[in-house]
Amino acid sequence: MSGGNDGNEGWGSRFLKMASAAAAAAAVAGGLYAALSSSASASGGHQEVPFGGQPHRNQPDHAGHVPPLQGAHVASWKKPEIGWVKLNVDGSRDHFNDTSAGCGGVFRDSSAKWVYGFAKRLNPDNNQAHQTELEAILTGLNIASKLNIKKLIVESDSEPVVRMVMSGVKSSHTDYDLVQRIRNEVDRIGCQVRFAVVSNKVNRVAHRLANDARKFASVGLCEEYADPPFNCLELLLEDQNRCQTF
């Protein structure tokens, strides 16, 4: 009997200790969540990172895991700061028949007005989905140089692509040449460039242009638009009506 009573008391003691530990862990987790929420609110849940820089939350933890770049939860397009131009880019590829690929991009200013746009048909044999995104960034940077843009924010909905451009890749990487061309172009044009990852909801105009490019008559054809194409007008208006201020 005494052995049974001792067992019950031991179990109760362990239960109380476990409950106390759980409560303490919950309190710590709650405090951490509040701190992160406060930080995200202060930045609007969106972080643009200068080329060559890294966001604080993009650093590996002790286990070697790299958390996602901030910005992927932004639900609506944001106006850039005064003096800056924002370039949204996207790539598009036929995943079923592998018969077409394209990329597109749109430049807008701090008043959310169209500055310029482009759509380029790509070779589907040479461009996987992420490579169409890289081509969109490179084409956009080339056009930014032609437009003499001095302060540029590049937004993409592909986090892996933004990571590659920001950090570079090893020379043995399949996309080394294309990534290096982008990085070299940033240096060449002498423009202040920041990068951000956004949701595809923010990238609808660029996505429309990339899809349009897949219908062009020949691979390599790049259409540039000083004025927005008709089929982009409604999307642009929706972005203007509900856009956030930087």
Side-chain angles (χ1 to χ4, degrees):
M1 291 292 294
S2 61
N5 289 335
D6 289 341
N8 288 335
E9 290 174 0
W11 179 87
S13 176
R14 288 196 301 272
F15 177 79
L16 290 174
K17 289 179 180 179
M18 290 172 62
S20 298
V28 171
L32 178 60
Y33 175 79
L36 291 177
S37 298
S38 176
S39 175
S41 297
S43 63
H46 179 72
Q47 180 180 357
E48 291 155 4
V49 186
F51 179 75
Q54 292 288 344
H56 177 69
R57 291 178 64 191
N58 190 33
Q59 302 303 319
D61 60 20
H62 294 298
H65 301 300
V66 182
L69 289 169
Q70 294 182 16
H73 301 295
V74 178
S76 59
W77 187 81
K78 283 188 174 184
K79 296 178 182 178
E81 300 163 275
I82 294 175
W84 287 77
V85 173
K86 179 168 286 189
L87 166 63
N88 286 84
V89 296
D90 200 12
S92 179
R93 191 174 187 274
D94 185 344
H95 295 285
F96 298 101
N97 301 316
D98 292 337
T99 57
S100 63
C103 67
V106 51
F107 295 84
R108 282 173 283 189
D109 62 18
S110 58
S111 61
K113 290 183 179 179
W114 177 281
V115 174
Y116 211 72
F118 69 90
K120 181 178 181 180
R121 183 171 177 184
L122 304 172
N123 187 339
D125 296 333
N126 300 334
N127 288 276
Q128 298 301 314
H130 73 282
Q131 291 165 332
T132 64
E133 298 273 351
L134 289 169
E135 288 285 357
I137 293 175
L138 180 60
T139 303
L141 290 172
N142 291 336
I143 292 175
S145 175
K146 182 174 67 174
L147 298 176
N148 200 31
I149 294 173
K150 297 301 182 185
K151 295 181 178 181
L152 181 68
I153 299 165
V154 181
E155 290 187 341
S156 167
D157 58 22
S158 174
E159 181 178 327
V161 164
V162 173
R163 283 188 185 280
M164 285 194 289
V165 172
M166 295 282 298
S167 303
V169 296
K170 294 181 179 180
S171 57
S172 58
H173 195 285
T174 304
D175 302 307
Y176 174 78
D177 289 342
L178 183 52
V179 171
Q180 280 303 115
R181 287 172 64 194
I182 292 172
R183 291 170 64 84
N184 291 340
E185 184 67 4
V186 172
D187 292 335
R188 185 191 71 80
I189 65 179
C191 173
Q192 292 185 57
V193 181
R194 303 200 303 238
F195 287 87
V197 180
V198 295
S199 75
N200 54 14
K201 294 179 181 179
V202 178
N203 235 26
R204 297 181 306 158
V205 178
H207 183 69
R208 174 68 55 81
L209 291 167
N211 280 339
D212 287 349
R214 288 168 43 190
K215 304 171 187 175
F216 289 172
S218 59
V219 170
L221 178 61
C222 183
E223 293 284 349
E224 298 182 18
Y225 307 103
D227 298 305
F230 180 78
N231 66 344
C232 291
L233 292 177
E234 184 176 353
L235 294 177
L236 288 166
L237 183 59
E238 289 178 4
D239 280 352
Q240 280 186 320
N241 289 338
R242 64 184 184 183
C243 69
Q244 303 176 30
T245 302
F246 181 87

